[in-house]
PDB file of all heavy atoms in Angstrom:
ATOM      1  N   VAL R 247    -210.057 -97.708 104.918  1.00 98.00           N
ATOM      2  CA  VAL R 247    -210.207 -96.950 103.681  1.00 98.00           C
ATOM      3  C   VAL R 247    -211.462 -97.482 102.989  1.00 98.00           C
ATOM      4  O   VAL R 247    -211.492 -98.637 102.566  1.00 98.00           O
ATOM      5  CB  VAL R 247    -208.969 -97.119 102.769  1.00 98.00           C
ATOM      6  CG1 VAL R 247    -209.161 -96.354 101.469  1.00 98.00           C
ATOM      7  CG2 VAL R 247    -207.702 -96.644 103.475  1.00 98.00           C
ATOM      8  N   ASP R 248    -212.506 -96.659 102.932  1.00 98.00           N
ATOM      9  CA  ASP R 248    -213.773 -97.078 102.339  1.00 98.00           C
ATOM     10  C   ASP R 248    -213.948 -96.342 101.009  1.00 98.00           C
ATOM     11  O   ASP R 248    -214.128 -95.130 100.982  1.00 98.00           O
ATOM     12  CB  ASP R 248    -214.917 -96.750 103.310  1.00 98.00           C
ATOM     13  CG  ASP R 248    -216.271 -97.199 102.757  1.00 98.00           C
ATOM     14  OD1 ASP R 248    -216.439 -97.197 101.522  1.00 98.00           O
ATOM     15  OD2 ASP R 248    -217.156 -97.533 103.553  1.00 98.00           O
ATOM     16  N   ILE R 249    -213.862 -97.089  99.915  1.00 98.00           N
ATOM     17  CA  ILE R 249    -213.960 -96.478  98.592  1.00 98.00           C
ATOM     18  C   ILE R 249    -215.343 -96.773  98.021  1.00 98.00           C
ATOM     19  O   ILE R 249    -215.638 -97.903  97.631  1.00 98.00           O
ATOM     20  CB  ILE R 249    -212.841 -97.004  97.669  1.00 98.00           C
ATOM     21  CG1 ILE R 249    -211.485 -96.754  98.332  1.00 98.00           C
ATOM     22  CG2 ILE R 249    -212.922 -96.341  96.299  1.00 98.00           C
ATOM     23  CD1 ILE R 249    -210.326 -97.456  97.655  1.00 98.00           C
ATOM     24  N   GLY R 250    -216.205 -95.775  98.027  1.00 97.00           N
ATOM     25  CA  GLY R 250    -217.582 -95.976  97.590  1.00 97.00           C
ATOM     26  C   GLY R 250    -217.794 -95.480  96.170  1.00 97.00           C
ATOM     27  O   GLY R 250    -216.917 -95.599  95.319  1.00 97.00           O
ATOM     28  N   GLY R 251    -218.994 -94.921  95.900  1.00 97.00           N
ATOM     29  CA  GLY R 251    -219.295 -94.396  94.580  1.00 97.00           C
ATOM     30  C   GLY R 251    -218.834 -92.951  94.463  1.00 97.00           C
ATOM     31  O   GLY R 251    -218.070 -92.597  93.575  1.00 97.00           O
ATOM     32  N   GLY R 252    -219.278 -92.108  95.383  1.00 96.00           N
ATOM     33  CA  GLY R 252    -218.960 -90.677  95.311  1.00 96.00           C
ATOM     34  C   GLY R 252    -217.753 -90.267  96.119  1.00 96.00           C
ATOM     35  O   GLY R 252    -217.059 -89.317  95.772  1.00 96.00           O
ATOM     36  N   THR R 253    -217.513 -90.941  97.227  1.00 95.00           N
ATOM     37  CA  THR R 253    -216.402 -90.528  98.087  1.00 95.00           C
ATOM     38  C   THR R 253    -215.575 -91.718  98.558  1.00 95.00           C
ATOM     39  O   THR R 253    -216.069 -92.835  98.669  1.00 95.00           O
ATOM     40  CB  THR R 253    -216.911 -89.800  99.363  1.00 95.00           C
ATOM     41  OG1 THR R 253    -217.779 -90.680 100.076  1.00 95.00           O
ATOM     42  CG2 THR R 253    -217.637 -88.524  99.043  1.00 95.00           C
ATOM     43  N   SER R 254    -214.303 -91.420  98.831  1.00 97.00           N
ATOM     44  CA  SER R 254    -213.436 -92.373  99.522  1.00 97.00           C
ATOM     45  C   SER R 254    -213.192 -91.793 100.901  1.00 97.00           C
ATOM     46  O   SER R 254    -212.852 -90.617 101.025  1.00 97.00           O
ATOM     47  CB  SER R 254    -212.105 -92.533  98.794  1.00 97.00           C
ATOM     48  OG  SER R 254    -212.313 -93.193  97.572  1.00 97.00           O
ATOM     49  N   GLU R 255    -213.411 -92.604 101.911  1.00 96.00           N
ATOM     50  CA  GLU R 255    -213.262 -92.119 103.279  1.00 96.00           C
ATOM     51  C   GLU R 255    -212.136 -92.883 103.947  1.00 96.00           C
ATOM     52  O   GLU R 255    -212.120 -94.100 103.971  1.00 96.00           O
ATOM     53  CB  GLU R 255    -214.554 -92.330 104.051  1.00 96.00           C
ATOM     54  CG  GLU R 255    -215.767 -91.967 103.222  1.00 96.00           C
ATOM     55  CD  GLU R 255    -216.788 -91.172 103.971  1.00 96.00           C
ATOM     56  OE1 GLU R 255    -216.723 -91.163 105.200  1.00 96.00           O
ATOM     57  OE2 GLU R 255    -217.636 -90.555 103.310  1.00 96.00           O
ATOM     58  N   ILE R 256    -211.197 -92.103 104.477  1.00 97.00           N
ATOM     59  CA  ILE R 256    -210.033 -92.710 105.115  1.00 97.00           C
ATOM     60  C   ILE R 256    -210.057 -92.285 106.563  1.00 97.00           C
ATOM     61  O   ILE R 256    -210.234 -91.104 106.853  1.00 97.00           O
ATOM     62  CB  ILE R 256    -208.757 -92.206 104.422  1.00 97.00           C
ATOM     63  CG1 ILE R 256    -208.824 -92.585 102.934  1.00 97.00           C
ATOM     64  CG2 ILE R 256    -207.506 -92.780 105.066  1.00 97.00           C
ATOM     65  CD1 ILE R 256    -208.222 -91.574 102.037  1.00 97.00           C
ATOM     66  N   ALA R 257    -209.919 -93.213 107.480  1.00 97.00           N
ATOM     67  CA  ALA R 257    -209.984 -92.826 108.889  1.00 97.00           C
ATOM     68  C   ALA R 257    -209.118 -93.723 109.749  1.00 97.00           C
ATOM     69  O   ALA R 257    -208.958 -94.908 109.476  1.00 97.00           O
ATOM     70  CB  ALA R 257    -211.428 -92.883 109.382  1.00 97.00           C
ATOM     71  N   VAL R 258    -208.545 -93.109 110.784  1.00 97.00           N
ATOM     72  CA  VAL R 258    -207.853 -93.871 111.819  1.00 97.00           C
ATOM     73  C   VAL R 258    -208.735 -93.839 113.056  1.00 97.00           C
ATOM     74  O   VAL R 258    -209.149 -92.769 113.511  1.00 97.00           O
ATOM     75  CB  VAL R 258    -206.469 -93.260 112.124  1.00 97.00           C
ATOM     76  CG1 VAL R 258    -205.833 -93.961 113.322  1.00 97.00           C
ATOM     77  CG2 VAL R 258    -205.565 -93.367 110.907  1.00 97.00           C
ATOM     78  N   LEU R 259    -209.068 -95.030 113.555  1.00 97.00           N
ATOM     79  CA  LEU R 259    -209.976 -95.145 114.698  1.00 97.00           C
ATOM     80  C   LEU R 259    -209.243 -95.716 115.888  1.00 97.00           C
ATOM     81  O   LEU R 259    -208.370 -96.567 115.744  1.00 97.00           O
ATOM     82  CB  LEU R 259    -211.137 -96.095 114.365  1.00 97.00           C
ATOM     83  CG  LEU R 259    -211.851 -95.900 113.029  1.00 97.00           C
ATOM     84  CD1 LEU R 259    -212.831 -97.037 112.798  1.00 97.00           C
ATOM     85  CD2 LEU R 259    -212.579 -94.579 113.007  1.00 97.00           C
ATOM     86  N   ALA R 260    -209.602 -95.233 117.064  1.00 96.00           N
ATOM     87  CA  ALA R 260    -209.103 -95.812 118.310  1.00 96.00           C
ATOM     88  C   ALA R 260    -210.037 -95.434 119.442  1.00 96.00           C
ATOM     89  O   ALA R 260    -210.663 -94.367 119.399  1.00 96.00           O
ATOM     90  CB  ALA R 260    -207.691 -95.306 118.616  1.00 96.00           C
ATOM     91  N   LEU R 261    -210.168 -96.284 120.421  1.00 95.00           N
ATOM     92  CA  LEU R 261    -211.011 -96.020 121.600  1.00 95.00           C
ATOM     93  C   LEU R 261    -212.408 -95.527 121.215  1.00 95.00           C
ATOM     94  O   LEU R 261    -212.944 -94.612 121.838  1.00 95.00           O
ATOM     95  CB  LEU R 261    -210.334 -94.979 122.502  1.00 95.00           C
ATOM     96  CG  LEU R 261    -209.117 -95.485 123.290  1.00 95.00           C
ATOM     97  CD1 LEU R 261    -208.387 -94.327 123.942  1.00 95.00           C
ATOM     98  CD2 LEU R 261    -209.563 -96.484 124.361  1.00 95.00           C
ATOM     99  N   GLY R 262    -212.987 -96.145 120.208  1.00 94.00           N
ATOM    100  CA  GLY R 262    -214.350 -95.790 119.818  1.00 94.00           C
ATOM    101  C   GLY R 262    -214.506 -94.409 119.220  1.00 94.00           C
ATOM    102  O   GLY R 262    -215.603 -93.858 119.192  1.00 94.00           O
ATOM    103  N   GLY R 263    -213.413 -93.836 118.724  1.00 94.00           N
ATOM    104  CA  GLY R 263    -213.528 -92.514 118.117  1.00 94.00           C
ATOM    105  C   GLY R 263    -212.701 -92.409 116.846  1.00 94.00           C
ATOM    106  O   GLY R 263    -211.822 -93.234 116.598  1.00 94.00           O
ATOM    107  N   ILE R 264    -212.978 -91.375 116.043  1.00 94.00           N
ATOM    108  CA  ILE R 264    -212.183 -91.126 114.845  1.00 94.00           C
ATOM    109  C   ILE R 264    -211.054 -90.184 115.237  1.00 94.00           C
ATOM    110  O   ILE R 264    -211.301 -89.064 115.676  1.00 94.00           O
ATOM    111  CB  ILE R 264    -213.059 -90.520 113.726  1.00 94.00           C
ATOM    112  CG1 ILE R 264    -214.132 -91.542 113.286  1.00 94.00           C
ATOM    113  CG2 ILE R 264    -212.196 -90.110 112.545  1.00 94.00           C
ATOM    114  CD1 ILE R 264    -215.120 -91.033 112.264  1.00 94.00           C
ATOM    115  N   VAL R 265    -209.814 -90.637 115.116  1.00 96.00           N
ATOM    116  CA  VAL R 265    -208.667 -89.828 115.532  1.00 96.00           C
ATOM    117  C   VAL R 265    -208.280 -88.856 114.419  1.00 96.00           C
ATOM    118  O   VAL R 265    -208.065 -87.678 114.645  1.00 96.00           O
ATOM    119  CB  VAL R 265    -207.459 -90.718 115.899  1.00 96.00           C
ATOM    120  CG1 VAL R 265    -206.291 -89.856 116.348  1.00 96.00           C
ATOM    121  CG2 VAL R 265    -207.848 -91.716 116.975  1.00 96.00           C
ATOM    122  N   CYS R 266    -208.155 -89.360 113.209  1.00 94.00           N
ATOM    123  CA  CYS R 266    -207.975 -88.454 112.083  1.00 94.00           C
ATOM    124  C   CYS R 266    -208.645 -89.070 110.870  1.00 94.00           C
ATOM    125  O   CYS R 266    -208.726 -90.285 110.753  1.00 94.00           O
ATOM    126  CB  CYS R 266    -206.507 -88.127 111.818  1.00 94.00           C
ATOM    127  SG  CYS R 266    -205.400 -89.524 111.881  1.00 94.00           S
ATOM    128  N   ASP R 267    -209.139 -88.224 109.999  1.00 94.00           N
ATOM    129  CA  ASP R 267    -209.822 -88.760 108.820  1.00 94.00           C
ATOM    130  C   ASP R 267    -209.755 -87.789 107.661  1.00 94.00           C
ATOM    131  O   ASP R 267    -209.377 -86.630 107.822  1.00 94.00           O
ATOM    132  CB  ASP R 267    -211.278 -89.106 109.142  1.00 94.00           C
ATOM    133  CG  ASP R 267    -212.122 -87.876 109.448  1.00 94.00           C
ATOM    134  OD1 ASP R 267    -211.532 -86.849 109.847  1.00 94.00           O
ATOM    135  OD2 ASP R 267    -213.341 -87.937 109.291  1.00 94.00           O
ATOM    136  N   LYS R 268    -210.113 -88.316 106.511  1.00 95.00           N
ATOM    137  CA  LYS R 268    -210.077 -87.529 105.295  1.00 95.00           C
ATOM    138  C   LYS R 268    -211.136 -88.100 104.354  1.00 95.00           C
ATOM    139  O   LYS R 268    -211.283 -89.317 104.276  1.00 95.00           O
ATOM    140  CB  LYS R 268    -208.689 -87.683 104.663  1.00 95.00           C
ATOM    141  CG  LYS R 268    -208.268 -86.473 103.916  1.00 95.00           C
ATOM    142  CD  LYS R 268    -206.803 -86.483 103.570  1.00 95.00           C
ATOM    143  CE  LYS R 268    -206.523 -85.467 102.495  1.00 95.00           C
ATOM    144  NZ  LYS R 268    -207.039 -84.122 102.712  1.00 95.00           N
TER     145      LYS R 268
END
Side-chain angles (χ1 to χ4, degrees):
V247 178
D248 181 329
I249 304 169
T253 59
S254 291
E255 317 224 343
I256 301 145
V258 173
L259 313 172
L261 287 170
I264 295 176
V265 181
C266 44
D267 67 337
K268 211 167 164 50

